Amino acid sequence: MLGNVYIKEKEIYLYYDDDNIGKRTGMIYQLGYHLTNFTWFDIQNISDTYTAIINFILVTPKPYANDNSAFYDMLSDYIDRLDNYCPYLHFYTQALIKLLLDYPKIKSKAIDYIKEIATDSSDKINNIYKFLFNYDETVGLESISSSPKTPFQAQQMYGFYLKLGNLAKDILIGDINIKRDRIVNELQYITDEKEGLKDLNPKQRVLLLDFKKDRKYYTANELHSKFLPDKIIPPDIKSEERLKQFILEKAIDIVEMYQIDNIDDLIRFELLNLISSDILIKECQYCGYFFVPKGRTDTKYCDRINVGEEKPCNEIGAMKVYKSDKIGNPINELYQASYNRFYSRVRTNKMKKNDFRIWSEKASALKAWYIDAPDKKDEFSEKLYKLGVIYDKKTAMRKK
């Protein structure tokens, strides 16, 4: 089991299993936010961080080598960094770390950590078993110990674990990519506006998705649940009065908690609850990735910063739209020419600032009305001219 999860007020409460490595016991996040984040983050960044974790474990630098607490604190920092990308990654990270830390004690049974997570890559896991078999034949696994007696044995041990870690890393990254591609394809199907799907709501589309699959991914898998308190009650609470006080202090509620045995359970749980809610799933008009709007539901852009960019999509996208409105649109060109003409009068004291402000507000409203109708530029030009004439007369009257 990987952990437990429940939903309250459109938020996911995810609790990690007791066997978890790291400081965090779980995460709380907006329903749908990290399901879509799972399809977005830079996979190369994740792969590089896994490489760094492998190297840290195999060649533990001072002062971590002789300080168990500092060693696990550093591992926790790596885990937290990846959790902040997406909580789904937590379970992949745990599998990689546990494989390397536990292999000296439980040998090939440690491969089960990878098997439990990489559910779409079972064929690739055979590569690890083949490596172990070949290594045993050529070098002898008995020479791999946690306390090498010679520099040669130390070199053997490092080479063995480096290969083992990299094989596991490649399998985990491959499995992440498979699941990401599947989620993207299914979100596209669920949100598609094409003619053949318009009459179906998202849940009905999920039924069709399962019908098209070799196996029913969403509708035939069990999720086991229990009604439990939403916070852990300390074992040292023995009296009814103390328990009552704790319940009131922590505002404890009873919730339906679902057991998560693998990543697929978490994907199913979050996606089905997402489409059962009134939360929108949108495709960013700049980066093309799916996202859940945090504020305005009519937004066209996500707020994430993509690889190679310095600003989030909502800032870049808005600027591109602004520039595209400026370039080549005859409505905007006519407005800008008129704006410059009147503003030059303000600078030369031929027009009062208050008159210019009123004219500008009316001209902007007129532009907004015609901006999407460039074929009506002559009509717009005539109305803009008449508006200008009014303020030309006002200026002339003041001079008299």
Side-chain angles (χ1 to χ4, degrees):
M1 186 179 80
L2 301 184
N4 293 286
V5 64
Y6 72 91
I7 288 181
K8 188 175 183 180
E9 296 177 354
K10 296 181 181 178
E11 286 188 320
I12 294 272
Y13 288 73
L14 176 62
Y15 292 99
Y16 304 141
D17 188 38
D18 293 340
D19 196 26
N20 171 70
I21 295 171
K23 296 175 184 176
R24 282 182 177 169
T25 57
M27 286 190 76
I28 303 170
Y29 57 93
Q30 180 188 347
L31 174 62
Y33 181 74
H34 279 301
L35 177 71
T36 52
N37 256 14
F38 187 64
T39 68
W40 163 79
F41 57 70
D42 177 22
I43 195 68
Q44 186 57 51
N45 198 334
I46 308 307
S47 180
D48 292 344
T49 305
Y50 282 166
T51 298
I53 289 173
I54 293 168
N55 289 329
F56 175 77
I57 292 173
L58 297 190
V59 188
T60 307
K62 295 178 181 181
Y64 307 105
N66 299 316
D67 187 339
N68 205 43
S69 176
F71 174 79
Y72 279 98
D73 282 349
M74 187 62 187
L75 276 183
S76 292
D77 289 343
Y78 280 119
I79 293 166
D80 287 350
R81 191 186 312 167
L82 290 161
D83 283 4
N84 289 334
Y85 270 105
C86 178
Y88 284 42
L89 290 173
H90 180 87
F91 306 106
Y92 287 95
T93 310
Q94 293 285 313
L96 179 62
I97 292 173
K98 288 177 182 178
L99 169 70
L100 293 172
L101 294 182
D102 289 355
Y103 190 87
K105 295 174 283 187
I106 61 176
K107 302 299 180 188
S108 60
K109 287 184 180 179
I111 311 303
D112 290 346
Y113 296 131
I114 307 298
K115 289 169 67 177
E116 184 181 35
I117 297 299
T119 52
D120 286 300
S121 305
S122 55
D123 56 327
K124 300 289 190 300
I125 292 172
N126 289 330
N127 293 338
I128 297 183
Y129 288 113
K130 288 177 184 176
F131 162 68
L132 295 178
F133 177 79
N134 292 333
Y135 203 96
D136 194 22
E137 289 289 307
T138 57
V139 179
L141 286 178
E142 67 278 1
S143 68
I144 302 299
S145 67
S146 56
S147 302
K149 295 179 176 60
T150 68
F152 177 68
Q153 284 184 334
Q155 188 177 3
Q156 281 185 313
M157 185 176 86
Y158 174 79
F160 170 79
Y161 281 108
L162 183 63
K163 180 68 174 176
L164 179 64
N166 282 326
L167 278 172
K169 180 197 75 171
D170 291 345
I171 290 168
L172 294 173
I173 293 296
D175 193 76
I176 290 170
N177 278 328
I178 291 171
K179 287 179 171 59
R180 278 155 58 105
D181 289 345
R182 183 172 67 234
I183 294 170
V184 167
N185 289 335
E186 294 179 357
L187 286 177
Q188 285 173 339
Y189 188 82
I190 288 167
T191 59
D192 204 330
E193 291 298 320
K194 65 184 180 186
E195 197 61 39
L197 295 171
K198 272 188 176 180
D199 296 334
L200 298 172
N201 65 42
K203 284 189 279 189
Q204 291 169 333
R205 295 184 189 195
V206 165
L207 287 174
L208 283 183
L209 276 173
D210 269 0
F211 179 79
K212 297 194 311 182
K213 291 176 181 289
D214 294 333
R215 60 189 177 92
K216 288 181 170 59
Y217 184 77
Y218 291 105
T219 56
N221 284 279
E222 293 183 351
L223 275 178
H224 301 286
S225 68
K226 293 179 182 178
F227 285 93
L228 296 168
D230 60 355
K231 297 178 183 67
I232 297 172
I233 298 175
D236 61 340
I237 293 181
K238 304 294 184 183
S239 70
E240 181 180 336
E241 188 59 35
R242 179 70 188 92
L243 178 59
K244 178 183 175 182
Q245 184 182 353
F246 183 80
I247 290 170
L248 291 173
E249 284 176 359
K250 303 296 182 181
I252 290 179
D253 192 10
I254 290 179
V255 296
E256 189 171 12
M257 195 93 69
Y258 290 86
Q259 180 177 310
I260 300 299
D261 291 323
N262 51 54
I263 294 292
D264 296 288
D265 283 348
L266 187 54
I267 292 171
R268 279 190 284 266
F269 178 82
E270 187 160 5
L271 190 141
L272 288 172
N273 277 283
L274 178 61
I275 64 174
S276 299
S277 71
D278 57 357
I279 296 174
L280 283 176
I281 310 167
K282 304 192 80 172
E283 191 172 348
C284 177
Q285 296 302 298
Y286 181 69
C287 69
Y289 288 98
F290 285 100
F291 72 105
V292 172
K294 291 181 180 177
R296 291 175 50 176
T297 56
D298 62 345
T299 183
K300 296 179 180 180
Y301 308 102
C302 69
D303 60 359
R304 300 177 294 216
I305 300 175
N306 284 286
V307 178
E309 303 285 5
E310 295 180 355
K311 295 181 179 180
C313 289
N314 52 7
E315 290 186 24
I316 299 172
M319 183 56 67
K320 283 187 176 289
V321 169
Y322 175 77
K323 287 180 178 177
S324 66
D325 281 348
K326 295 284 184 187
I327 300 169
N329 190 319
I331 302 297
N332 193 73
E333 289 172 358
L334 287 166
Y335 166 81
Q336 199 63 46
S338 188
Y339 180 95
N340 292 340
R341 182 165 61 88
F342 276 94
Y343 186 65
S344 67
R345 292 183 182 183
V346 175
R347 287 187 301 171
T348 55
N349 296 318
K350 293 179 180 178
M351 184 177 191
K352 289 188 174 293
K353 288 182 180 180
N354 191 54
D355 286 345
F356 174 75
R357 180 184 60 79
I358 297 170
W359 172 87
S360 178
E361 288 175 357
K362 292 182 178 181
S364 292
L366 195 63
K367 182 189 77 164
W369 184 264
Y370 282 93
I371 193 71
D372 293 324
D375 55 314
K376 295 183 178 181
K377 64 177 182 178
D378 292 338
E379 183 180 320
F380 172 73
S381 179
E382 183 181 350
K383 290 187 177 182
L384 192 63
Y385 171 76
K386 287 180 179 178
L387 181 64
V389 167
I390 294 171
Y391 286 90
D392 281 340
K393 288 180 178 178
K394 279 188 176 184
T395 302
M397 287 175 66
R398 284 201 178 95
K399 286 182 179 179
K400 291 179 181 179

